[in-house]
RNA sequence: GACCUGGUAGCUCAGCUGGUAGAGCAUUACACUUUUAAUGUAAGGGUCCUGGGUUCGAAUCCCAGUCAGGUCACCA
């Protein structure tokens, strides 16, 4: 049943031999280090005695001496072992080198090294090891990635996407560039958080389990609460809860919200994804555009120093009404168009349409297919048709439009924002209209319309501007990755079949 | 959901029109005291994704399934 490869069997045997020699392959004691490898390399001091711990990544034997490379969370350093100088707790000089190190330690093992620093003939900072401690035995062989340091060329990279995603831990051990993506991801989020905190906005937590999944239109994941005896849904958005907090008197709230949508998966959709939602009282969508510009510029400066992108972050970002954009790229003026004529336009543009798609939906579809890809530099697309924005205020001057913008960068939607609708009566009728469009009958109203949210609005919500920024997409943009899976530690995968590997 | 491409040793990959399964790294053994994609010699290692079919004979051809990637569709 348990099929082991030759290499796995050999490593398990080594485990037994270690135990026979009185060496615990998984010791409990704290292992004291004197610093991280990166610090040690930065502050190199000839002959300084240091102690480090990490994973053995490579090994080169040369008879009575040999070289290994150890990697910790910061960097990799070369270790020089020689027969004459190496000892371990359970073994003397010679045996430590010839038996412990040579026969029982493998690439992938986590070890501790004590020794002093020097530079080799090749001028590489190296630890001359005196003491070797096994901290954790690895019984599965690590993929051997070879790096030619002269030109930084990688050979035999661990590159199978499926294996990389399924065994992300291996991916992280072996592929430094992968680790860097996630370090960048965290730094981007920290940067945004600091930026918002500095402005005095409050980070909050709102429910992930909701009895009415509101704030967006999407198929939710369904679950069930045993004690309450009711269905619950994983949130598809947190918007309605953040607005309740604005009603409650906070002037600015935000949340890095993990949202869940039970829909298709592809290179830009994962069932769970992260959106930064931010709501600020007494502002409108014009203010939010200015704010977004500054925030994005600040992040861009921090994370794109190399200027490798061909994206120009010159402010102010252009602000283009969606209908103007469509006019520019298709030649059709849709401002006062009737639904029938709009369908004809779709045919002329070779765009699929069906009866289930509303007028607003068709307009949006045309934009996505014909226009979106043309905006490489950051651009605000503004003033969307009112029907497709049920939570947005009607435009103060343009009757059938709403005060909404999307930020497009590199042909992709990065953010979606609007002047929040705060008229409770209008809100209820818009949600009903939305419900009708999506084919639900009125009997289901109590199941699909969040009446408590309407009640909250009835108490009065200040005029508010809100924005959602797709964090995964933003990280993709800043790390130049074309799939969302590359910026998520553990992207959703189909389960592996009966114990393959 | 549709179509295209792929799944062979721990990893990266060859394997032609069907004829005993290959390489490099890794592993094991030996040699080697400043190497760095270390080197040299030798050895071991395979459910060729799964299940059917065609055939004297299938990693290879056909069908179905499965997993991944890509393109499209769906998705505020």
């Amino acid at each position: 049943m348990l099929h082991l490869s030759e290499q796995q069997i050999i490593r398990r045997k080594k485990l037994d031999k270690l135990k026979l020699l009185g060496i615990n392959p998984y010791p409990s004691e704290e292992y004291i280090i004197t610093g991280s490898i990166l610090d040690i390399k930065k502050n190199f001091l000839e002959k300084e005695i240091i102690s480090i711990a990490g994973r053995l990544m490579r090994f080169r034997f040369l008879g009575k001496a040999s070289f290994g490379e150890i990697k910790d969370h910061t960097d990799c350093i070369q270790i020089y072992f020689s027969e004459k100088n190496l000892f371990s707790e359970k073994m003397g000089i010679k045996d430590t080198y010839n038996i412990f190190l040579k026969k029982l330690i493998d690439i992938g093992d986590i070890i501790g090294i004590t020794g002093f620093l020097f530079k080799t003939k090749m001028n590489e900072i190296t630890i001359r090891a005196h003491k070797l401690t096994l901290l954790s035995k690895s019984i599965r062989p690590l993929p051997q990635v070879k790096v030619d340091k002269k030109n930084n060329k990688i050979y035999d990279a661990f590159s199978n996407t499926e294996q990389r995603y399924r065994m992300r831990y291996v991916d992280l051990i072996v592929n430094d560039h992968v680790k860097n993506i996630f370090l960048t991801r965290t730094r981007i989020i920290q940067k945004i958080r600091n930026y918002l905190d500095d402005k005095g906005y409050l980070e909050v937590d709102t429910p992930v389990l909701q009895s009415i999944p509101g704030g967006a239109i999407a198929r939710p994941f369904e679950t069930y609460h045993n004690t309450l005896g009711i269905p619950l849904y994983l949130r598809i958005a947190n918007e309605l809860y953040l607005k309740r907090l604005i009603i409650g008197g906070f002037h600015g709230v935000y949340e890095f919200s993990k949202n869940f949508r039970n829909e298709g998966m592809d290179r830009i959709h994962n069932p769970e994804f992260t959106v930064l939602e931010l709501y600020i009282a007494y502002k409108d969508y014009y203010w939010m555009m200015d704010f977004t510009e500054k925030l994005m510029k600040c992040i861009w400066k921090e994370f794109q120093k190399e200027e490798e992108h061909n994206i120009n972050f010159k402010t102010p970002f252009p602000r283009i009404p969606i209908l103007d954009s469509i006019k520019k790229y298709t030649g059709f003026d849709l401002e006062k168009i009737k639904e029938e004529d709009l369908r004809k336009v779709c045919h002329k543009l070779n765009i699929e349409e069906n009866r289930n798609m509303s007028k607003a939906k068709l307009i949006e579809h045309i934009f996505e297919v014909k226009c979106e890809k043309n905006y490489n530099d950051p651009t605000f697309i503004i003033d969307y048709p009112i029907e497709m924005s049920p939570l947005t205020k009607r435009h103060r001057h343009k009757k059938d439009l709403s005060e909404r913008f999307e930020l497009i960068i590199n042909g992709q939607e990065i953010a979606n924002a609007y002047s929040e609708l705060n008229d409770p009566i209008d809100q209820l009728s818009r949600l009903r209209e939305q419900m009708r469009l999506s084919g639900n009958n009125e009997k289901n109203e109590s199941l699909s319309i969040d009446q408590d949210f309407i009640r909250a609005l009835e108490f009065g919500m200040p005029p508010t501007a809100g924005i959602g920024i797709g964090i995964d997409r933003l990280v993709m943009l800043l790390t130049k990755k074309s799939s969302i899976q590359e910026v998520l530690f553990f992207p959703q995968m189909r389960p592996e079949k009966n114990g393959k590997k």
Side-chain angles (χ1 to χ4, degrees):
Chain A
M1 185 191 92
L2 187 64
H3 176 78
L4 296 177
S5 71
E6 185 195 29
Q7 292 192 47
Q8 286 177 293
I9 292 165
I10 288 168
R11 289 196 180 202
R12 277 161 198 251
K13 282 182 180 160
K14 288 180 182 183
L15 217 51
D16 296 336
K17 281 183 200 158
L18 284 165
K19 285 174 188 163
L20 274 177
L21 290 166
I23 298 168
N24 181 357
Y26 304 103
S28 326
E29 296 82 18
E30 176 189 13
Y31 185 83
I32 294 177
I33 59 167
T34 52
S36 74
I37 289 175
L38 190 65
D39 285 343
I40 286 165
K41 278 183 156 181
K42 270 189 187 161
N43 311 311
F44 172 75
L45 238 179
E46 184 91 36
K47 299 256 165 133
E48 186 190 7
I49 292 185
I50 49 114
S51 177
I52 57 150
R55 192 182 294 275
L56 186 63
M57 298 302 289
R58 271 170 270 281
F59 221 115
R60 297 180 282 276
F61 269 104
L62 300 105
K64 292 187 175 66
S66 50
F67 290 90
E69 281 171 43
I70 287 193
K71 184 182 195 175
D72 74 358
H73 63 292
T74 58
D75 204 356
C76 214
I77 194 165
Q78 180 166 267
I79 313 291
Y80 174 79
F81 300 97
S82 75
E83 191 190 55
K84 283 190 288 185
N85 294 304
L86 188 68
F87 83 100
S88 61
E89 226 142 68
K90 301 278 175 183
M91 286 191 198
I93 296 279
K94 286 215 168 178
D95 275 357
T96 298
Y97 184 82
N98 287 308
I99 298 172
F100 190 27
L101 177 67
K102 230 165 151 177
K103 304 287 181 191
L104 299 173
I105 295 288
D106 287 294
I107 289 174
D109 288 355
I110 295 173
I111 58 177
I113 295 291
T114 304
F116 67 77
L117 290 173
F118 74 107
K119 279 189 182 171
T120 63
K121 281 178 190 167
M122 305 298 285
N123 210 31
E124 176 152 347
I125 294 175
T126 303
I127 302 171
R128 188 185 182 103
H130 292 151
K131 189 181 173 193
L132 168 67
T133 311
L134 175 61
L135 299 175
S136 183
K137 182 75 192 150
S138 162
I139 57 169
R140 225 176 240 271
L142 214 53
Q144 273 310 118
V145 178
K146 295 267 172 176
V147 182
D148 187 344
K149 283 180 190 161
K150 282 168 227 151
N151 48 17
N152 244 342
K153 218 173 160 185
I154 296 171
Y155 299 84
D156 297 335
F158 178 58
S159 57
N160 181 307
T161 26
E162 180 175 358
Q163 299 216 63
R164 285 183 43 235
Y165 296 161
R166 287 198 194 282
M167 297 190 282
R168 184 67 95 180
Y169 36 90
V170 175
D171 198 22
L172 290 165
I173 292 168
V174 145
N175 291 325
D176 284 338
H177 55 282
V178 170
K179 195 172 172 185
N180 283 333
I181 293 169
F182 292 100
L183 292 175
T184 303
R185 182 187 171 107
T186 297
R187 288 200 300 133
I188 290 169
I189 291 172
Q190 279 171 347
K191 182 85 192 169
I192 296 174
R193 179 175 281 125
N194 290 341
Y195 191 95
L196 299 177
D197 288 345
D198 284 349
K199 302 273 184 242
Y201 305 139
L202 189 73
E203 183 168 15
V204 297
D205 287 312
T206 63
V208 173
L209 289 173
Q210 305 179 352
S211 54
I212 297 169
I217 297 164
R219 271 174 63 198
F221 286 92
E222 192 173 345
T223 184
Y224 184 81
H225 193 283
N226 290 339
T227 305
L228 296 176
I230 54 165
L232 287 174
Y233 304 87
L234 271 60
R235 71 174 164 209
I236 56 175
N238 62 347
E239 170 159 353
L240 304 188
Y241 286 91
L242 292 184
K243 285 182 187 172
R244 283 173 170 95
L245 296 180
I246 294 292
I247 293 164
F250 294 104
H251 81 291
V253 288
Y254 72 91
E255 179 174 15
F256 288 95
S257 171
K258 195 69 89 76
N259 293 347
F260 306 83
R261 297 192 182 173
N262 203 342
E263 285 164 358
M265 296 162 53
D266 58 33
R267 33 170 274 286
I268 49 172
H269 297 268
N270 193 66
E272 52 184 294
F273 60 100
T274 307
V275 177
L276 165 71
E277 294 264 357
L278 168 69
Y279 290 81
I280 319 274
Y282 308 112
K283 307 296 184 193
D284 64 3
Y285 82 135
Y286 292 117
W287 180 90
M288 189 58 93
M289 276 189 260
D290 295 340
F291 180 85
T292 306
E293 245 167 34
K294 285 181 201 129
L295 174 63
M296 295 306 294
K297 185 116 191 172
C298 164
I299 294 163
W300 186 258
K301 266 205 291 204
E302 174 105 5
F303 293 97
Q304 293 301 315
K305 280 164 197 155
E306 323 101 69
E307 292 294 335
E308 279 172 30
H309 268 292
N310 57 343
I311 298 174
N312 184 356
F313 261 66
K314 204 182 83 184
T315 48
F317 302 161
R319 301 176 181 192
I320 302 172
I322 186 169
L323 295 180
D324 290 5
S325 174
I326 290 173
K327 199 163 156 187
K328 180 174 174 191
Y329 288 106
T330 69
F332 290 102
D333 186 349
L334 308 181
E335 196 176 334
K336 283 167 186 159
I337 199 164
K338 287 176 187 156
E339 189 166 330
E340 286 165 38
D341 295 329
L342 185 57
R343 288 184 194 278
K344 283 178 193 161
V345 168
C346 284
H347 287 296
K348 281 180 192 160
L349 293 172
N350 225 355
I351 289 172
E352 250 184 79
E353 64 76 28
N354 61 55
R355 278 175 206 163
N356 291 332
M357 295 165 91
S358 66
K359 194 179 154 186
K361 176 81 200 157
L362 290 170
I363 291 173
E364 191 189 20
H365 199 48
I366 292 171
F367 176 78
E368 278 170 6
V369 174
K370 294 288 175 188
C371 309
E372 197 169 52
K373 61 186 176 211
N374 296 304
Y375 298 105
N376 184 56
D377 297 341
T379 305
F380 292 119
I381 299 299
I382 64 171
D383 300 348
Y384 285 66
I386 189 96
E387 305 97 307
M388 57 204 261
S389 315
L391 298 162
T392 311
K393 263 194 177 163
R394 187 177 291 275
H395 198 283
R396 61 197 77 171
H397 304 305
K398 304 172 192 169
K399 189 165 175 284
D400 296 326
L401 302 179
S402 59
E403 297 202 347
R404 170 175 169 193
F405 72 82
E406 287 194 1
L407 175 62
I408 314 287
I409 306 175
N410 197 25
Q412 271 206 342
E413 179 197 331
I414 294 291
N416 182 16
Y418 30 87
S419 302
E420 303 295 335
L421 179 59
N422 60 350
D423 174 342
I425 293 171
D426 190 14
Q427 181 66 86
L428 181 58
S429 72
R430 294 248 223 121
L431 288 177
R432 281 186 174 142
E433 174 66 9
Q434 195 66 41
M435 196 180 68
R436 199 182 56 75
L437 285 172
S438 59
N440 284 337
N441 59 44
E442 278 172 37
K443 282 176 192 166
N444 286 337
E445 182 169 311
S446 63
L447 298 175
S448 57
I449 291 185
D450 188 338
Q451 295 290 351
D452 174 69
F453 172 64
I454 301 293
R455 177 168 63 191
L457 281 184
E458 286 171 356
F459 281 98
M461 179 170 87
T464 298
I467 187 167
I469 298 176
I471 294 297
D472 307 301
R473 300 251 174 110
L474 184 63
V475 176
M476 284 166 65
L477 179 72
L478 294 171
T479 57
K480 300 186 201 80
K481 293 292 154 201
S482 56
S483 78
I484 195 169
Q485 287 79 15
E486 290 289 355
V487 303
L488 299 171
F489 271 131
F490 304 105
Q492 193 57 243
M493 304 280 272
R494 284 197 168 77
E496 282 180 274
K497 275 283 148 65
N498 40 16
K500 191 197 164 196
K501 286 166 189 173

